[in-house]
C-alpha cells in the first residue's frame, strides 16, 4: 500500500474504494450542477489536489455503470495524472448517450487507479527479434 498526500477543497469528497477488491477509487463531482447534452464535453472539478510519489501515476477511468446506463464516459481514457502535477484533479466527461445527463455535487463521475510506472530508455537497433505474432494486429486473430 502506498500513502498519497491529498489537499481537499472545502466539503469535497475524498476518493474511496467501494469494495475489498476494488482497484479503482471513486471520484466525486465538486461542481454543484452541470448539464451535459448529447455529444457535449464538460470538465468536472473534483476539489482534490494530490501529491503522487515519484515513480507512480494516477489514471482516471470511466465508471462502467455510467457508460452502460447513460453513455457517459471519460474522454481521454485513461487520463494520466503525472507524479509532478499539483493542480486540481478534473475529469473530462462526454455524453455519448441520447439524453441530457445531469451531474450534481458528490455524484460518482469516474474512478482513479494508482499505478507504479517505469521510464524507458530507447535503444536503437537495426532489427527486432521475430515472434509467432510478428507484425499481426488489428483483428489478425479473427472475430
Amino acid at each position: 500500500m502506498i500513502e498519497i498526500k491529498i489537499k481537499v477543497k472545502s466539503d469535497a469528497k475524498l476518493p474511496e474504494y467501494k469494495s475489498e477488491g476494488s482497484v479503482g477509487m471513486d471520484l466525486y463531482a465538486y461542481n454543484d450542477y452541470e448539464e451535459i447534452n448529447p455529444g457535449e464535453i464538460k470538465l468536472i472539478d473534483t476539489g482534490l489536489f494530490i501529491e503522487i510519489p515519484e515513480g507512480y501515476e494516477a489514471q482516471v477511468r470511466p465508471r462502467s455503470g455510467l457508460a452502460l446506463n447513460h453513455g457517459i464516459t471519460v474522454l481521454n481514457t485513461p487520463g494520466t495524472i503525472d507524479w509532478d502535477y499539483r493542480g486540481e484533479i478534473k475529469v473530462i466527461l462526454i455524453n455519448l448517450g441520447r439524453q441530457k445527463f445531469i451531474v450534481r455535487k458528490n455524484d460518482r463521475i469516474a474512478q482513479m487507479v494508482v499505478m507504479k510506472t517505469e521510464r524507458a530508455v530507447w535503444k536503437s537497433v537495426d532489427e527486432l527479434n521475430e515472434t509467432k505474432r510478428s507484425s499481426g494486429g488489428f483483428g489478425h486473430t479473427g472475430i
Side-chain angles (χ1 to χ4, degrees):
M1 195 166 302
I2 184 169
E3 184 176 273
I4 297 177
K5 295 178 184 176
I6 188 165
K7 185 172 91 173
V8 182
K9 281 185 180 176
S10 168
D11 73 342
K13 201 163 161 83
L14 290 173
E16 61 183 332
Y17 295 105
K18 287 297 191 178
S19 75
E20 185 178 334
S22 293
V23 173
M25 295 172 266
D26 283 336
L27 290 175
Y28 297 87
Y30 188 73
N31 306 51
D32 286 327
Y33 181 91
E34 291 285 345
E35 290 184 7
I36 309 176
N37 293 306
E40 192 173 24
I41 300 165
K42 288 281 177 104
L43 188 62
I44 308 298
D45 298 346
T46 65
L48 307 174
F49 303 78
I50 60 177
E51 186 177 317
I52 302 169
E54 187 172 351
Y56 289 83
E57 68 160 330
Q59 294 181 356
V60 178
R61 302 177 181 182
R63 293 192 65 242
S64 58
L66 287 181
L68 176 64
N69 298 320
H70 303 284
I72 301 298
T73 191
V74 176
L75 187 57
N76 62 325
T77 298
T80 297
I81 303 170
D82 296 307
W83 71 264
D84 60 348
Y85 177 71
R86 295 296 183 268
E88 183 176 357
I89 297 172
K90 298 184 181 201
V91 179
I92 304 169
L93 292 182
I94 185 168
N95 184 348
L96 299 176
R98 295 189 179 104
Q99 297 186 10
K100 174 173 53 178
F101 184 77
I102 307 296
V103 176
R104 291 181 177 85
K105 188 169 188 140
N106 294 329
D107 282 353
R108 294 183 293 165
I109 56 167
Q111 56 184 327
M112 182 170 62
V113 175
V114 176
M115 309 261 313
K116 189 158 183 50
T117 60
E118 295 286 336
R119 293 199 59 153
V121 176
W122 297 105
K123 179 180 178 181
S124 183
V125 296
D126 292 327
E127 293 188 32
L128 301 175
N129 292 334
E130 289 291 322
T131 67
K132 184 176 179 182
R133 178 179 179 176
S134 198
S135 62
F138 302 100
H140 79 283
T141 60
I143 296 175

